[in-house]
Amino acid sequence: MEQYSFDQLPRAVSELHQKIDSIQDLLLESRQQILPTIELMTISQAAEFLNLSVQTLYGKVCHREIPVSKKGKRLYFYKSELEEWIKSGKKKTMSELREQLPSFTGSRKGRLR
């Protein structure tokens, strides 16, 4: 550890203060990146996000096909819920289906006997 003379102390304290400020800035930035942002969307924003018409989106809401929140007469959509809804409709690839095949055949053999 470096020893400072009395004359060097103001400069050392200034450098230390700058380093603490930069560490604090980095921590605040990383905290903001960690906290999920809840993005609430109106029906027109959700329709644009999903690349659907507003009428089509109303139909999906009516048939309870899509996650929605309702407050009074207004409909609201959470971006994270819409992303999960999109992911839930993903078709499995042939390799994913082949990986699941042993678990399907193993469970059926026990039932057939």
Side-chain angles (χ1 to χ4, degrees):
M1 188 165 179
E2 188 178 336
Q3 295 289 328
Y4 294 101
S5 69
F6 184 77
D7 293 333
Q8 293 172 326
L9 282 179
R11 182 174 170 253
V13 169
S14 176
E15 288 176 7
L16 184 60
H17 192 300
Q18 289 174 349
K19 289 180 181 181
I20 290 173
D21 284 345
S22 65
I23 290 171
Q24 185 179 19
D25 291 341
L26 287 172
L27 288 173
L28 289 173
E29 286 176 21
S30 67
R31 184 176 178 201
Q32 289 175 350
Q33 291 173 355
I34 292 172
L35 295 175
T37 56
I38 299 175
E39 190 175 334
L40 197 60
M41 294 188 275
T42 63
I43 192 153
S44 58
Q45 291 169 327
E48 184 177 336
F49 174 73
L50 295 171
N51 199 23
L52 298 172
S53 69
V54 173
Q55 294 80 6
T56 301
L57 193 52
Y58 272 120
K60 292 190 177 300
V61 168
C62 182
H63 292 104
R64 298 182 184 266
E65 296 176 12
I66 194 163
V68 63
S69 297
K70 186 174 180 182
K71 185 71 175 173
K73 293 183 178 184
R74 297 197 181 255
L75 300 176
Y76 298 99
F77 301 85
Y78 289 99
K79 185 176 182 178
S80 59
E81 289 180 349
L82 293 178
E83 289 171 341
E84 286 301 315
W85 176 75
I86 291 169
K87 289 177 188 175
S88 70
K90 179 184 177 278
K91 302 273 186 187
K92 294 188 178 187
T93 63
M94 288 302 289
S95 61
E96 289 172 332
L97 291 171
R98 283 188 197 106
E99 287 175 11
Q100 288 183 337
L101 190 60
S103 63
F104 286 127
T105 58
S107 63
R108 289 187 180 185
K109 284 182 181 178
R111 291 182 183 164
L112 292 176
R113 291 183 184 177

